[in-house]
Amino acid sequence: MEKTLKKENFNSLITGLKDQGYRTIAPKKDNNLVTLDEVQSADEIHLDHVQTNNSIKEYFLPKTEKILSYTLEKNKVSIEEPEGFAVKSVVFGSRPCDAASLPIMDKVFNWDCSDKFWVERREAITIVTIACDKCDNYCFCTSVGLAPDSKEGSDVLLTKISDDEYLVETVTEKGEGLIKGLETVFSDPVAGTPDRQVASVEKKFEIDKIKPWLDENFAHKIWAEFSMKCISCGACTFVCPTCHCFDIVDECTMSKGDRVKNWDGCQFKMFTLHTSGHNPRSTQDQRWRQRIMHKFKYYVEKFDNILCVGCGRCSRVCPADMNISEMLEIIATEENQKE
Ligand code: SF4
Ligand code: SF4
């Protein structure tokens, strides 16, 4: 189904969503940062940016959350499971690369067991993506098989067709239901082919060159060279829509406690520290290699997907100016030279 949406109707859209019981999350400007955050009206929405600082993942995998509470009384343990964590929501205006991360992450969260927190939130949240009409040098979606107007993971895709109008394409039944429920907000498209304003993202490397090189070069000196500048701050893993490591801790007294899931990251030295004191990844070159291997080799072998959508956030946020696409370009070139 195709419709159009005028910018002047954004307020009616957000009000209509609220009337139907949806929480709306959208890009919002706070000083110099644009973040995906809850909005109450369209006036708070900011769309003149390349990429939000945070990714969509925190609405499915929060930074921290209680996964159960327990009470010990004599020899009896009572468990209470959280409820109401899957809030009916619309993420409005996320980028196509963020949306594309969701079906990739579905694979790991439904792998050996189904993670109810992820699965129930996936059901409760509808994704209305806006195709990128601008990009920067950090973007490389086209190098990992995506595009600035990819539909993967979106329920509805909006594409700018003039300064004040968007083409609306429904991608899933869920998206179609959302549009039908708000019919007065949308218009029928005018005849003819609209001028879709979509960014042109340069292809930086051939993705097919990456895994064959990784397969052969676990012990290559390049890992030390790549990681020289890295200060192990972990910012790259926290902003990444596809990094999904977490830790589980008990916050408790003698008689009761909460079991809490917190984001963790492979770039932290303590991430792999064993109780014995042994650390299988005690140096930063080992940790950086792990990040690249996980995304471009191990996840591909296990789930047939690259664990990267080319959003460029990790490079934008890095205080040491580590640039993942430049490194992948070097790897692809090394692989080329073997031919
Ligand atoms: S953000 Fe940069 S410095 Fe920090 S862990 Fe990641 S690569 Fe290293
Ligand atoms: S690794 Fe970097 S570019 Fe790839 S999805 Fe994560 S943040 Fe984006």
Side-chain angles (χ1 to χ4, degrees):
M1 177 170 64
E2 275 194 6
K3 292 274 178 188
T4 60
L5 172 64
K6 289 209 181 322
K7 237 179 179 175
E8 65 195 33
N9 282 345
F10 276 12
N11 246 330
S12 318
L13 173 67
I14 306 300
T15 311
L17 289 172
K18 206 186 273 182
D19 292 345
Q20 290 185 21
Y22 286 97
R23 166 184 70 157
T24 303
I25 293 147
K28 199 170 161 181
K29 196 163 188 181
D30 181 10
N31 291 317
N32 287 329
L33 285 184
V34 181
T35 50
L36 284 171
D37 204 348
E38 186 168 348
V39 295
Q40 303 302 330
S41 81
D43 302 337
E44 295 175 75
I45 299 175
H46 180 92
L47 294 177
D48 189 25
H49 62 284
V50 171
Q51 185 58 276
T52 53
N53 181 59
N54 59 341
S55 82
I56 204 170
K57 87 173 164 198
E58 68 187 60
Y59 295 99
F60 301 87
L61 176 67
K63 293 181 185 107
T64 181
E65 78 175 316
K66 185 164 71 178
I67 55 174
L68 60 85
S69 302
Y70 53 86
T71 315
L72 307 173
E73 215 172 311
K74 295 188 180 149
N75 289 331
K76 193 169 164 266
V77 183
S78 320
I79 305 246
E80 199 185 316
E81 300 210 24
E83 286 176 6
F85 53 83
V87 181
K88 182 178 161 184
S89 312
V90 166
V91 178
F92 178 81
S94 56
R95 292 303 187 204
C97 52
D98 261 15
S101 71
L102 298 170
I104 296 173
M105 299 265 271
D106 283 342
K107 295 192 174 176
V108 70
F109 285 111
N110 288 284
W111 163 41
D112 52 351
C113 71
S114 181
D115 181 307
K116 71 170 184 182
F117 296 96
W118 178 270
V119 172
E120 289 185 29
R121 286 191 177 106
R122 284 285 277 135
E123 280 165 16
I125 302 177
T126 308
I127 311 294
V128 180
T129 303
I130 299 184
C132 301
D133 62 335
K134 58 170 82 170
C135 61
D136 65 16
N137 279 338
Y138 294 112
C139 298
F140 62 98
C141 58
T142 48
S143 305
V144 290
L146 295 167
D149 57 351
S150 286
K151 291 181 179 165
E152 285 91 335
S154 298
D155 295 302
V156 178
L157 175 71
L158 269 55
T159 308
K160 205 170 178 182
I161 50 173
S162 75
D163 282 351
D164 58 9
E165 198 172 17
Y166 292 83
L167 181 70
V168 179
E169 294 168 87
T170 52
V171 183
T172 63
E173 275 181 26
K174 201 189 205 179
E176 197 156 330
L178 187 92
I179 303 299
K180 278 190 180 149
L182 291 159
E183 252 170 357
T184 54
V185 175
F186 300 94
S187 318
D188 287 326
V190 286
T193 313
D195 176 22
R196 295 162 57 99
Q197 297 179 19
V198 178
S200 173
V201 178
E202 183 198 350
K203 191 167 179 181
K204 301 191 176 199
F205 55 86
E206 292 294 332
I207 192 65
D208 293 351
K209 302 284 178 195
I210 305 297
K211 189 171 176 298
W213 190 90
L214 296 178
D215 287 343
E216 302 294 325
N217 288 287
F218 187 80
H220 199 284
K221 64 178 182 345
I222 217 167
W223 302 116
E225 288 165 17
F226 278 169
S227 62
M228 202 88 79
K229 296 189 289 185
C230 177
I231 56 169
S232 312
C233 69
C236 50
T237 62
F238 282 10
V239 295
C240 176
T242 56
C243 279
H244 53 268
C245 292
F246 57 82
D247 195 12
I248 293 179
V249 292
D250 280 6
E251 296 178 355
C252 53
T253 62
M254 289 295 280
S255 58
K256 61 181 182 181
D258 293 329
R259 186 152 293 172
V260 182
K261 183 159 85 175
N262 299 312
W263 282 2
D264 205 344
C266 60
Q267 297 308 291
F268 299 127
K269 189 171 183 179
M270 284 175 68
F271 183 65
T272 44
L273 182 64
H274 296 182
T275 319
S276 65
H278 171 64
N279 191 340
R281 286 187 224 129
S282 60
T283 59
Q284 192 52 34
D285 56 328
Q286 294 168 332
R287 296 193 281 274
W288 183 253
R289 176 181 62 200
Q290 168 62 22
R291 187 156 195 266
I292 302 287
M293 287 281 182
H294 186 203
K295 288 184 177 296
F296 296 93
K297 174 173 160 61
Y298 306 145
Y299 205 86
V300 178
E301 286 166 357
K302 191 143 196 87
F303 298 118
D304 201 21
N305 259 130
I306 299 159
L307 190 60
C308 171
V309 292
C311 71
R313 277 193 187 88
C314 53
S315 308
R316 271 184 217 101
V317 80
C318 178
D321 199 25
M322 299 267 285
N323 188 314
I324 194 169
S325 71
E326 285 176 8
M327 294 177 188
L328 292 165
E329 231 175 297
I330 292 169
I331 288 176
T333 311
E334 290 257 319
E335 183 62 19
N336 277 337
Q337 283 164 358
K338 283 187 354 197
E339 288 168 355

